Amino acid sequence: MGPPDGGRPIFTIKITDWKRVSMVFEKIDTPPLNSIPDDIRTTEEIDHAIGALTSHVRTVVEKCERKVPASSDRRKFPPDILELVRAKNAALRRASAYPTPEYRSRARALQRKVKARVQEFRNESWNDLMEEINQAFWKITKALKTEGIEEEVLQKISLEPKDDLTPVSLSEVQKLVKSISTKKALGLDGVRNKAIKCFSQPLLSLLVVIFNACLQNCYFPSARKEVEVIGIHKPGKPRDLPVSYRPISLPSGLAKLFERVLKTRLSNHLFGKGFIIDEQFGFRPAHSCPQQVLRLVEYVSEGFKTKQKTVTVFFDVAKAFERIWHAGLVYKLYSLQVPDRLILTIQNFLSNRHFTFRHERTHSTRRLITAGVPQGSALFPLLYSAYTNDISRPTSASSSRSLPMIPRSFIGVGLGAPSSSTFRGPLMS
């Protein structure tokens, strides 16, 4: 007997019983968890513990899933087509209610536009685009070599760390788990954030042991440095060009938890000790773009009152996050007096990372990341702030003032103010 519905296969989706998952997680006497040593010391034991925990979580979740028929097997359209469909439907309703020639013509035009766009979408060849992405857009920018810095960094990271970091506590992990979003996309390890939220206290305690072992060994688990990258189309950009897509990493949920552990310690050092310049508003608590705009307006207004002119220069750095030179970043972390153990852990986090690009069910080949910080990572905004923290500030004469302004991915470069006393020092952005 053939499949129903005219021979078309029935598509299904998986429904997870998360209450049952929570109940099963209470039982920790299982072969995968029993294989984890009580005292985790080496990097091999860390990798084994992470692998065993991941295997246990995936097994439990799979056993608590059931398949149900999907509500629709129609391929989902991209947002621009859905927007066109909504506009077409609205135009049809308007033409039906008020059948004027203008409204009817508008509705027919939108119908033709929707049909053409849907046909274009169905005819797109993503295999060609994937190959182009591999060769062009996703080719990581080769880091510029600065004489002496790489050698100095290699020498420093070869030394034993001189300091210790605050150990990870159970309450810290519980707080981090509580704060994670269940709507984030799935990483390569297949562990959903919702499953992590169902962890029992023994499993959370195991995470504490693993994270502390990682800090002690200055180690980021190798399997968690494999990321999947998707491309988000930039509105208004042509769809057939790789540069029209913004790369977003989909890291493991467990990896992001440990990244937040590192972020907390790095943030406490950089902001707690005042190492980040005051002019940096991006990725900073209680700071935002509206405050920068207000600051700019006030500065210009003061110039009007004193009959001075204000020079402002704005720079937009293309692909800023993807161009960060790893050795240069580590060098700057040392210059910011970040604890050795934290620097070594971050350096391990950045090294030997690989990615694959995915579009729908198509994957690119596995590639090594040699520069940049992963977008989608909990650490990358803070690392970028540290990387750009030593930006040159403009200097000016006594009659002039300088006001660097560096919001988000913008880097300011100061220009010398004119010698005339009617000019003030440049704003930077």
Side-chain angles (χ1 to χ4, degrees):
M1 184 175 178
D5 195 18
R8 295 170 58 191
I10 298 177
F11 290 89
T12 60
I13 58 174
K14 293 180 179 180
I15 301 296
T16 306
D17 185 347
W18 293 109
K19 288 186 178 180
R20 185 183 170 197
V21 169
S22 298
M23 293 175 60
V24 177
F25 277 159
E26 295 291 339
K27 303 174 183 178
I28 61 172
D29 187 16
T30 63
L33 297 182
N34 289 338
S35 68
I36 300 176
D38 294 332
D39 189 12
I40 301 175
R41 293 181 178 274
T42 66
T43 57
E44 290 80 9
E45 290 174 341
I46 292 173
D47 286 336
H48 172 72
I50 284 285
L53 177 60
T54 300
S55 175
H56 174 67
V57 172
R58 293 180 65 174
T59 301
V60 170
V61 172
E62 287 172 3
K63 288 182 178 179
C64 297
E65 289 177 339
R66 71 180 191 277
K67 292 183 179 181
V68 298
S71 59
S72 172
D73 62 351
R74 188 177 66 179
R75 188 180 184 185
K76 291 185 178 180
F77 290 128
D80 67 309
I81 292 183
L82 297 178
E83 187 65 32
L84 275 175
V85 170
R86 283 191 288 268
K88 179 206 70 172
N89 292 339
L92 287 173
R93 288 193 297 269
R94 191 179 300 111
S96 177
Y98 308 100
T100 65
E102 180 184 355
Y103 286 159
R104 293 169 66 181
S105 176
R106 168 70 174 166
R108 285 194 295 268
L110 282 172
Q111 282 180 313
R112 290 192 295 268
K113 193 171 183 179
V114 169
K115 184 177 180 180
R117 180 66 187 95
V118 169
Q119 188 63 37
E120 177 189 358
F121 174 72
R122 288 173 175 166
N123 291 338
E124 286 174 343
S125 174
W126 282 101
N127 287 333
D128 293 341
L129 177 60
M130 288 294 299
E131 185 61 29
E132 191 175 355
I133 286 174
N134 282 336
Q135 296 178 2
F137 184 62
W138 293 112
K139 184 177 181 181
I140 303 299
T141 306
K142 186 176 181 180
L144 296 176
K145 306 299 181 183
T146 302
E147 186 177 357
I149 287 184
E150 288 195 339
E151 290 76 8
E152 184 175 346
V153 168
L154 287 174
Q155 190 271 332
K156 285 185 175 181
I157 64 176
S158 65
L159 302 176
E160 287 294 322
K162 301 176 182 178
D163 42 37
D164 285 319
L165 297 173
T166 305
V168 182
S169 64
L170 178 60
S171 60
E172 180 182 3
V173 171
Q174 288 173 328
K175 184 178 179 181
L176 290 175
V177 169
K178 188 177 180 180
S179 68
I180 61 177
S181 171
T182 58
K183 297 181 180 180
K184 296 296 183 180
L186 192 65
L188 284 176
D189 62 357
V191 177
R192 299 180 183 277
N193 283 356
K194 197 158 187 176
I196 298 176
K197 279 184 171 288
C198 294
F199 275 18
S200 60
Q201 184 161 327
L203 291 183
L204 294 176
S205 299
L206 176 59
L207 280 182
V208 172
V209 174
I210 293 173
F211 290 166
N212 279 322
C214 289
L215 291 179
Q216 193 62 32
N217 287 274
C218 305
Y219 181 69
F220 198 94
S222 301
R224 299 301 170 265
K225 293 194 284 187
E226 301 282 339
V227 296
E228 191 173 61
V229 179
I230 60 173
I232 303 298
H233 180 249
K234 299 176 182 177
K237 300 290 185 179
R239 290 180 170 273
D240 58 342
L241 296 179
V243 293
S244 300
Y245 295 82
R246 179 176 291 107
I248 300 296
S249 299
L250 304 179
S252 155
L254 293 174
K256 291 192 76 169
L257 279 180
F258 186 52
E259 286 178 36
R260 292 185 180 186
V261 168
L262 300 178
K263 177 187 175 183
T264 299
R265 283 146 183 78
L266 182 60
S267 179
N268 290 343
H269 175 81
L270 295 179
F271 293 119
K273 297 186 177 181
F275 283 107
I276 298 297
I277 57 177
D278 294 335
E279 294 82 8
Q280 175 61 273
F281 274 52
F283 315 118
R284 190 171 193 164
H287 291 67
S288 63
C289 285
Q291 291 172 310
Q292 279 282 41
V293 173
L294 177 61
R295 184 164 163 265
L296 171 62
V297 171
E298 288 181 345
Y299 192 74
V300 174
S301 298
E302 289 176 8
F304 287 151
K305 293 177 183 178
T306 57
K307 296 184 179 180
Q308 290 181 308
K309 296 180 180 179
T310 303
V311 179
T312 308
V313 180
F314 296 87
F315 280 90
D316 183 3
V317 181
K319 301 180 184 177
F321 301 124
E322 294 128 43
R323 295 176 184 268
I324 290 182
W325 175 30
H326 289 171
L329 173 60
V330 173
Y331 180 85
K332 292 182 179 185
L333 291 177
Y334 275 112
S335 69
L336 291 170
Q337 302 175 29
V338 175
D340 294 351
R341 194 173 296 278
L342 184 54
I343 294 178
L344 293 176
T345 308
I346 292 173
Q347 189 273 334
N348 188 272
F349 162 74
L350 293 172
S351 63
N352 296 319
R353 296 183 66 87
H354 294 84
F355 78 97
T356 55
F357 180 80
R358 171 176 64 84
H359 175 73
E360 295 184 352
R361 297 183 180 181
T362 306
H363 286 77
S364 71
T365 55
R366 182 171 175 265
R367 298 298 179 93
L368 176 68
I369 300 175
T370 58
V373 289
Q375 295 196 46
S377 161
L379 262 177
F380 92 84
L382 194 54
L383 291 178
Y384 186 76
S385 293
Y387 190 73
T388 58
N389 192 64
D390 59 352
I391 186 171
S392 300
R393 299 186 181 186
T395 57
S396 55
S398 58
S399 60
S400 303
R401 291 189 301 163
S402 302
L403 183 60
M405 183 171 67
I406 316 170
R408 290 201 57 163
S409 61
F410 292 87
I411 292 185
V413 178
L415 300 179
S419 58
S420 171
S421 60
T422 60
F423 281 85
R424 301 192 298 164
L427 278 165
M428 294 168 51
S429 180

Short mmCIF file of all heavy atoms in Angstrom, two decimals, residues 86-136:
data_model
loop_
_atom_site.label_atom_id
_atom_site.label_comp_id
_atom_site.label_asym_id
_atom_site.label_seq_id
_atom_site.Cartn_x
_atom_site.Cartn_y
_atom_site.Cartn_z
N ARG A 86 2.22 39.10 1.62
CA ARG A 86 1.34 39.89 2.48
C ARG A 86 0.83 41.14 1.76
O ARG A 86 -0.35 41.50 1.86
CB ARG A 86 2.07 40.27 3.77
CG ARG A 86 2.18 39.13 4.78
CD ARG A 86 2.66 39.63 6.12
NE ARG A 86 4.07 40.01 6.08
CZ ARG A 86 5.07 39.18 6.38
NH1 ARG A 86 4.81 37.93 6.74
NH2 ARG A 86 6.32 39.59 6.33
N ALA A 87 1.74 41.80 1.02
CA ALA A 87 1.33 42.99 0.27
C ALA A 87 0.33 42.63 -0.82
O ALA A 87 -0.65 43.36 -1.06
CB ALA A 87 2.56 43.66 -0.33
N LYS A 88 0.55 41.48 -1.49
CA LYS A 88 -0.37 41.05 -2.54
C LYS A 88 -1.75 40.75 -1.96
O LYS A 88 -2.78 41.16 -2.51
CB LYS A 88 0.18 39.79 -3.22
CG LYS A 88 -0.72 39.23 -4.32
CD LYS A 88 -0.51 37.74 -4.51
CE LYS A 88 -1.04 36.97 -3.31
NZ LYS A 88 -1.03 35.51 -3.51
N ASN A 89 -1.78 40.03 -0.83
CA ASN A 89 -3.06 39.70 -0.20
C ASN A 89 -3.82 40.96 0.24
O ASN A 89 -5.04 41.05 0.10
CB ASN A 89 -2.85 38.77 0.99
CG ASN A 89 -2.37 37.40 0.57
OD1 ASN A 89 -2.56 37.00 -0.58
ND2 ASN A 89 -1.74 36.67 1.48
N ALA A 90 -3.06 41.92 0.77
CA ALA A 90 -3.69 43.17 1.19
C ALA A 90 -4.26 43.91 -0.02
O ALA A 90 -5.36 44.48 0.03
CB ALA A 90 -2.68 44.05 1.93
N ALA A 91 -3.50 43.89 -1.13
CA ALA A 91 -3.97 44.56 -2.35
C ALA A 91 -5.21 43.88 -2.91
O ALA A 91 -6.14 44.54 -3.41
CB ALA A 91 -2.86 44.58 -3.39
N LEU A 92 -5.25 42.54 -2.84
CA LEU A 92 -6.43 41.81 -3.32
C LEU A 92 -7.66 42.13 -2.48
O LEU A 92 -8.77 42.29 -3.01
CB LEU A 92 -6.14 40.31 -3.31
CG LEU A 92 -5.19 39.78 -4.40
CD1 LEU A 92 -4.86 38.32 -4.16
CD2 LEU A 92 -5.81 39.98 -5.79
N ARG A 93 -7.46 42.21 -1.16
CA ARG A 93 -8.59 42.55 -0.29
C ARG A 93 -9.09 43.97 -0.58
O ARG A 93 -10.30 44.23 -0.60
CB ARG A 93 -8.18 42.42 1.18
CG ARG A 93 -8.00 40.98 1.65
CD ARG A 93 -7.89 40.90 3.16
NE ARG A 93 -6.72 41.61 3.67
CZ ARG A 93 -5.53 41.05 3.86
NH1 ARG A 93 -5.36 39.77 3.55
NH2 ARG A 93 -4.53 41.75 4.33
N ARG A 94 -8.13 44.87 -0.81
CA ARG A 94 -8.52 46.25 -1.11
C ARG A 94 -9.25 46.34 -2.44
O ARG A 94 -10.26 47.05 -2.58
CB ARG A 94 -7.27 47.14 -1.13
CG ARG A 94 -7.57 48.63 -1.16
CD ARG A 94 -6.30 49.46 -1.17
NE ARG A 94 -5.48 49.20 0.01
CZ ARG A 94 -4.31 48.58 -0.02
NH1 ARG A 94 -3.82 48.14 -1.17
NH2 ARG A 94 -3.63 48.39 1.08
N ALA A 95 -8.75 45.59 -3.44
CA ALA A 95 -9.40 45.61 -4.76
C ALA A 95 -10.78 44.97 -4.70
O ALA A 95 -11.69 45.35 -5.46
CB ALA A 95 -8.52 44.88 -5.77
N SER A 96 -10.94 43.99 -3.81
CA SER A 96 -12.25 43.35 -3.67
C SER A 96 -13.25 44.29 -3.00
O SER A 96 -14.43 44.34 -3.39
CB SER A 96 -12.12 42.06 -2.86
OG SER A 96 -13.38 41.46 -2.64
N ALA A 97 -12.76 45.04 -2.01
CA ALA A 97 -13.66 45.96 -1.30
C ALA A 97 -13.94 47.22 -2.11
O ALA A 97 -15.06 47.75 -2.09
CB ALA A 97 -13.05 46.33 0.05
N TYR A 98 -12.91 47.68 -2.82
CA TYR A 98 -13.05 48.91 -3.64
C TYR A 98 -12.53 48.61 -5.04
O TYR A 98 -11.35 48.89 -5.34
CB TYR A 98 -12.27 50.06 -3.01
CG TYR A 98 -12.58 50.29 -1.56
CD1 TYR A 98 -11.73 49.80 -0.56
CD2 TYR A 98 -13.73 50.98 -1.17
CE1 TYR A 98 -12.00 50.00 0.77
CE2 TYR A 98 -14.01 51.18 0.17
CZ TYR A 98 -13.15 50.69 1.14
OH TYR A 98 -13.43 50.88 2.46
N PRO A 99 -13.34 48.02 -5.92
CA PRO A 99 -12.86 47.55 -7.24
C PRO A 99 -12.62 48.68 -8.24
O PRO A 99 -13.23 48.72 -9.31
CB PRO A 99 -13.99 46.62 -7.68
CG PRO A 99 -15.21 47.14 -7.00
CD PRO A 99 -14.76 47.69 -5.68
N THR A 100 -11.74 49.58 -7.88
CA THR A 100 -11.38 50.64 -8.82
C THR A 100 -10.28 50.13 -9.75
O THR A 100 -9.54 49.20 -9.40
CB THR A 100 -10.87 51.87 -8.07
OG1 THR A 100 -9.65 51.53 -7.39
CG2 THR A 100 -11.89 52.36 -7.05
N PRO A 101 -10.14 50.70 -10.94
CA PRO A 101 -9.08 50.27 -11.87
C PRO A 101 -7.68 50.36 -11.24
O PRO A 101 -6.83 49.51 -11.48
CB PRO A 101 -9.23 51.23 -13.05
CG PRO A 101 -10.67 51.65 -13.01
CD PRO A 101 -11.03 51.71 -11.56
N GLU A 102 -7.47 51.39 -10.44
CA GLU A 102 -6.15 51.57 -9.82
C GLU A 102 -5.84 50.43 -8.86
O GLU A 102 -4.75 49.85 -8.89
CB GLU A 102 -6.11 52.90 -9.08
CG GLU A 102 -4.77 53.17 -8.40
CD GLU A 102 -4.78 54.46 -7.59
OE1 GLU A 102 -5.80 55.19 -7.65
OE2 GLU A 102 -3.77 54.72 -6.91
N TYR A 103 -6.78 50.09 -7.97
CA TYR A 103 -6.56 49.02 -7.00
C TYR A 103 -6.42 47.66 -7.68
O TYR A 103 -5.60 46.83 -7.28
CB TYR A 103 -7.70 48.99 -5.98
CG TYR A 103 -7.66 50.12 -4.98
CD1 TYR A 103 -8.80 50.49 -4.27
CD2 TYR A 103 -6.48 50.82 -4.73
CE1 TYR A 103 -8.78 51.53 -3.34
CE2 TYR A 103 -6.44 51.85 -3.82
CZ TYR A 103 -7.58 52.21 -3.12
OH TYR A 103 -7.54 53.23 -2.21
N ARG A 104 -7.24 47.41 -8.70
CA ARG A 104 -7.16 46.13 -9.40
C ARG A 104 -5.85 45.99 -10.16
O ARG A 104 -5.24 44.91 -10.19
CB ARG A 104 -8.35 46.00 -10.35
CG ARG A 104 -9.69 45.89 -9.61
CD ARG A 104 -10.88 46.03 -10.53
NE ARG A 104 -10.98 44.93 -11.48
CZ ARG A 104 -11.92 44.84 -12.41
NH1 ARG A 104 -12.84 45.81 -12.52
NH2 ARG A 104 -11.96 43.82 -13.23
N SER A 105 -5.39 47.08 -10.76
CA SER A 105 -4.11 47.06 -11.47
C SER A 105 -2.96 46.80 -10.50
O SER A 105 -2.03 46.04 -10.79
CB SER A 105 -3.90 48.38 -12.20
OG SER A 105 -2.63 48.42 -12.81
N ARG A 106 -3.04 47.44 -9.34
CA ARG A 106 -2.02 47.24 -8.31
C ARG A 106 -1.98 45.79 -7.84
O ARG A 106 -0.91 45.20 -7.69
CB ARG A 106 -2.32 48.17 -7.13
CG ARG A 106 -1.54 47.92 -5.85
CD ARG A 106 -0.10 48.26 -5.99
NE ARG A 106 0.60 48.13 -4.73
CZ ARG A 106 1.91 48.11 -4.60
NH1 ARG A 106 2.68 48.23 -5.67
NH2 ARG A 106 2.48 47.99 -3.42
N ALA A 107 -3.14 45.19 -7.63
CA ALA A 107 -3.21 43.79 -7.18
C ALA A 107 -2.62 42.85 -8.23
O ALA A 107 -1.87 41.92 -7.90
CB ALA A 107 -4.65 43.41 -6.86
N ARG A 108 -2.96 43.07 -9.51
CA ARG A 108 -2.44 42.21 -10.57
C ARG A 108 -0.92 42.34 -10.69
O ARG A 108 -0.21 41.36 -10.91
CB ARG A 108 -3.11 42.55 -11.91
CG ARG A 108 -4.55 42.04 -12.03
CD ARG A 108 -5.02 42.10 -13.47
NE ARG A 108 -5.10 43.47 -13.95
CZ ARG A 108 -6.19 44.23 -13.89
NH1 ARG A 108 -7.30 43.73 -13.35
NH2 ARG A 108 -6.19 45.46 -14.35
N ALA A 109 -0.43 43.57 -10.54
CA ALA A 109 1.02 43.78 -10.62
C ALA A 109 1.75 43.04 -9.50
O ALA A 109 2.80 42.43 -9.72
CB ALA A 109 1.33 45.28 -10.55
N LEU A 110 1.17 43.07 -8.30
CA LEU A 110 1.79 42.36 -7.18
C LEU A 110 1.71 40.85 -7.37
O LEU A 110 2.63 40.12 -6.98
CB LEU A 110 1.13 42.77 -5.87
CG LEU A 110 1.56 44.13 -5.30
CD1 LEU A 110 0.70 44.52 -4.12
CD2 LEU A 110 3.03 44.08 -4.89
N GLN A 111 0.63 40.36 -7.96
CA GLN A 111 0.52 38.93 -8.24
C GLN A 111 1.63 38.49 -9.19
O GLN A 111 2.26 37.44 -8.99
CB GLN A 111 -0.85 38.62 -8.85
CG GLN A 111 -1.98 38.57 -7.83
CD GLN A 111 -3.31 38.25 -8.49
OE1 GLN A 111 -3.66 38.83 -9.52
NE2 GLN A 111 -4.06 37.33 -7.90
N ARG A 112 1.87 39.29 -10.22
CA ARG A 112 2.95 38.95 -11.17
C ARG A 112 4.31 39.00 -10.48
O ARG A 112 5.19 38.17 -10.74
CB ARG A 112 2.91 39.91 -12.36
CG ARG A 112 1.70 39.71 -13.29
CD ARG A 112 1.88 40.48 -14.59
NE ARG A 112 1.92 41.93 -14.35
CZ ARG A 112 0.85 42.71 -14.39
NH1 ARG A 112 -0.35 42.19 -14.64
NH2 ARG A 112 0.96 44.01 -14.20
N LYS A 113 4.48 39.99 -9.61
CA LYS A 113 5.76 40.14 -8.92
C LYS A 113 6.03 38.96 -7.99
O LYS A 113 7.15 38.44 -7.92
CB LYS A 113 5.76 41.46 -8.14
CG LYS A 113 7.13 41.88 -7.64
CD LYS A 113 7.08 43.29 -7.07
CE LYS A 113 8.48 43.74 -6.63
NZ LYS A 113 8.46 45.12 -6.08
N VAL A 114 4.99 38.53 -7.27
CA VAL A 114 5.13 37.38 -6.37
C VAL A 114 5.47 36.13 -7.16
O VAL A 114 6.37 35.36 -6.80
CB VAL A 114 3.84 37.17 -5.54
CG1 VAL A 114 3.88 35.83 -4.82
CG2 VAL A 114 3.67 38.30 -4.53
N LYS A 115 4.77 35.92 -8.26
CA LYS A 115 5.01 34.73 -9.07
C LYS A 115 6.44 34.70 -9.61
O LYS A 115 7.11 33.66 -9.58
CB LYS A 115 4.01 34.70 -10.24
CG LYS A 115 4.11 33.46 -11.09
CD LYS A 115 3.04 33.46 -12.19
CE LYS A 115 3.15 32.20 -13.05
NZ LYS A 115 2.12 32.19 -14.12
N ALA A 116 6.91 35.86 -10.07
CA ALA A 116 8.27 35.93 -10.62
C ALA A 116 9.31 35.69 -9.53
O ALA A 116 10.30 34.98 -9.75
CB ALA A 116 8.50 37.30 -11.27
N ARG A 117 9.08 36.27 -8.33
CA ARG A 117 10.06 36.10 -7.25
C ARG A 117 10.09 34.67 -6.74
O ARG A 117 11.16 34.13 -6.43
CB ARG A 117 9.72 37.06 -6.10
CG ARG A 117 10.68 36.96 -4.92
CD ARG A 117 12.08 37.41 -5.29
NE ARG A 117 13.02 37.16 -4.21
CZ ARG A 117 13.78 36.08 -4.10
NH1 ARG A 117 13.74 35.13 -5.04
NH2 ARG A 117 14.60 35.93 -3.08
N VAL A 118 8.92 34.03 -6.65
CA VAL A 118 8.87 32.63 -6.22
C VAL A 118 9.60 31.74 -7.22
O VAL A 118 10.36 30.84 -6.84
CB VAL A 118 7.41 32.18 -6.05
CG1 VAL A 118 7.34 30.66 -5.86
CG2 VAL A 118 6.77 32.87 -4.86
N GLN A 119 9.41 32.01 -8.51
CA GLN A 119 10.09 31.23 -9.53
C GLN A 119 11.60 31.43 -9.44
O GLN A 119 12.38 30.48 -9.57
CB GLN A 119 9.59 31.64 -10.93
CG GLN A 119 10.09 30.76 -12.06
CD GLN A 119 9.60 29.32 -11.93
OE1 GLN A 119 8.47 29.09 -11.51
NE2 GLN A 119 10.46 28.37 -12.26
N GLU A 120 12.00 32.67 -9.20
CA GLU A 120 13.43 32.96 -9.05
C GLU A 120 14.01 32.22 -7.86
O GLU A 120 15.11 31.65 -7.93
CB GLU A 120 13.63 34.47 -8.88
CG GLU A 120 15.08 34.88 -8.65
CD GLU A 120 15.20 36.35 -8.26
OE1 GLU A 120 14.16 37.04 -8.22
OE2 GLU A 120 16.33 36.79 -7.98
N PHE A 121 13.26 32.21 -6.76
CA PHE A 121 13.72 31.52 -5.55
C PHE A 121 13.89 30.03 -5.80
O PHE A 121 14.87 29.41 -5.37
CB PHE A 121 12.71 31.77 -4.43
CG PHE A 121 12.99 31.00 -3.17
CD1 PHE A 121 14.04 31.33 -2.34
CD2 PHE A 121 12.19 29.92 -2.81
CE1 PHE A 121 14.30 30.62 -1.18
CE2 PHE A 121 12.44 29.21 -1.66
CZ PHE A 121 13.49 29.56 -0.84
N ARG A 122 12.96 29.44 -6.52
CA ARG A 122 13.02 28.00 -6.76
C ARG A 122 14.12 27.63 -7.74
O ARG A 122 14.58 26.49 -7.76
CB ARG A 122 11.66 27.52 -7.28
CG ARG A 122 10.59 27.51 -6.20
CD ARG A 122 9.22 27.20 -6.74
NE ARG A 122 8.24 27.07 -5.66
CZ ARG A 122 6.92 27.06 -5.83
NH1 ARG A 122 6.43 27.16 -7.05
NH2 ARG A 122 6.12 26.94 -4.80
N ASN A 123 14.51 28.57 -8.59
CA ASN A 123 15.53 28.27 -9.60
C ASN A 123 16.95 28.61 -9.15
O ASN A 123 17.90 28.39 -9.89
CB ASN A 123 15.22 29.04 -10.89
CG ASN A 123 13.97 28.52 -11.58
OD1 ASN A 123 13.57 27.38 -11.37
ND2 ASN A 123 13.34 29.35 -12.40
N GLU A 124 17.06 29.18 -7.96
CA GLU A 124 18.40 29.57 -7.52
C GLU A 124 19.28 28.33 -7.32
O GLU A 124 18.86 27.33 -6.74
CB GLU A 124 18.31 30.35 -6.21
CG GLU A 124 17.80 31.77 -6.41
CD GLU A 124 17.58 32.49 -5.08
OE1 GLU A 124 17.52 31.81 -4.04
OE2 GLU A 124 17.46 33.72 -5.09
N SER A 125 20.48 28.42 -7.77
CA SER A 125 21.42 27.30 -7.62
C SER A 125 22.38 27.62 -6.48
O SER A 125 23.30 28.41 -6.61
CB SER A 125 22.21 27.10 -8.92
OG SER A 125 23.21 26.13 -8.74
N TRP A 126 22.13 26.98 -5.33
CA TRP A 126 22.96 27.28 -4.17
C TRP A 126 24.31 26.56 -4.21
O TRP A 126 25.23 26.93 -3.50
CB TRP A 126 22.20 26.90 -2.90
CG TRP A 126 21.17 27.91 -2.55
CD1 TRP A 126 19.83 27.84 -2.77
CD2 TRP A 126 21.40 29.18 -1.95
NE1 TRP A 126 19.21 28.99 -2.34
CE2 TRP A 126 20.15 29.83 -1.83
CE3 TRP A 126 22.54 29.85 -1.51
CZ2 TRP A 126 20.01 31.09 -1.28
CZ3 TRP A 126 22.39 31.11 -0.95
CH2 TRP A 126 21.15 31.72 -0.85
N ASN A 127 24.42 25.55 -5.04
CA ASN A 127 25.72 24.88 -5.13
C ASN A 127 26.79 25.82 -5.66
O ASN A 127 27.93 25.85 -5.17
CB ASN A 127 25.62 23.65 -6.04
CG ASN A 127 24.86 22.53 -5.38
OD1 ASN A 127 24.83 22.43 -4.17
ND2 ASN A 127 24.23 21.68 -6.18
N ASP A 128 26.43 26.61 -6.68
CA ASP A 128 27.39 27.58 -7.22
C ASP A 128 27.73 28.64 -6.17
O ASP A 128 28.88 29.05 -6.03
CB ASP A 128 26.81 28.26 -8.47
CG ASP A 128 26.67 27.28 -9.63
OD1 ASP A 128 27.33 26.22 -9.58
OD2 ASP A 128 25.90 27.57 -10.56
N LEU A 129 26.70 29.08 -5.44
CA LEU A 129 26.93 30.09 -4.41
C LEU A 129 27.84 29.55 -3.31
O LEU A 129 28.73 30.23 -2.83
CB LEU A 129 25.60 30.54 -3.82
CG LEU A 129 25.68 31.57 -2.67
CD1 LEU A 129 26.37 32.84 -3.14
CD2 LEU A 129 24.29 31.88 -2.14
N MET A 130 27.62 28.28 -2.92
CA MET A 130 28.45 27.69 -1.88
C MET A 130 29.91 27.64 -2.30
O MET A 130 30.81 27.93 -1.51
CB MET A 130 27.95 26.27 -1.59
CG MET A 130 26.62 26.21 -0.85
SD MET A 130 26.74 26.86 0.81
CE MET A 130 27.94 25.75 1.48
N GLU A 131 30.16 27.29 -3.54
CA GLU A 131 31.53 27.22 -4.02
C GLU A 131 32.16 28.60 -4.02
O GLU A 131 33.33 28.78 -3.66
CB GLU A 131 31.55 26.62 -5.43
CG GLU A 131 32.96 26.41 -5.98
CD GLU A 131 33.76 25.44 -5.13
OE1 GLU A 131 33.16 24.55 -4.50
OE2 GLU A 131 35.00 25.60 -5.08
N GLU A 132 31.38 29.60 -4.41
CA GLU A 132 31.89 30.97 -4.43
C GLU A 132 32.18 31.46 -3.02
O GLU A 132 33.17 32.15 -2.77
CB GLU A 132 30.88 31.90 -5.11
CG GLU A 132 31.44 33.27 -5.42
CD GLU A 132 30.45 34.12 -6.20
OE1 GLU A 132 29.38 33.60 -6.56
OE2 GLU A 132 30.76 35.30 -6.43
N ILE A 133 31.31 31.08 -2.09
CA ILE A 133 31.53 31.45 -0.69
C ILE A 133 32.82 30.84 -0.18
O ILE A 133 33.62 31.49 0.50
CB ILE A 133 30.33 31.01 0.17
CG1 ILE A 133 29.14 31.92 -0.10
CG2 ILE A 133 30.68 31.04 1.66
CD1 ILE A 133 27.87 31.49 0.58
N ASN A 134 33.05 29.56 -0.52
CA ASN A 134 34.27 28.90 -0.08
C ASN A 134 35.51 29.61 -0.60
O ASN A 134 36.51 29.74 0.11
CB ASN A 134 34.28 27.45 -0.58
CG ASN A 134 33.40 26.55 0.27
OD1 ASN A 134 33.15 26.85 1.42
ND2 ASN A 134 32.93 25.46 -0.31
N GLN A 135 35.45 30.07 -1.85
CA GLN A 135 36.63 30.65 -2.48
C GLN A 135 36.80 32.13 -2.18
O GLN A 135 37.92 32.63 -2.22
CB GLN A 135 36.55 30.45 -3.99
CG GLN A 135 36.58 28.99 -4.41
CD GLN A 135 36.45 28.82 -5.91
OE1 GLN A 135 36.37 29.79 -6.65
NE2 GLN A 135 36.44 27.58 -6.35
N ALA A 136 35.70 32.82 -1.86
CA ALA A 136 35.80 34.27 -1.72
C ALA A 136 35.42 34.74 -0.32
O ALA A 136 36.29 34.99 0.52
CB ALA A 136 34.92 34.95 -2.77
#
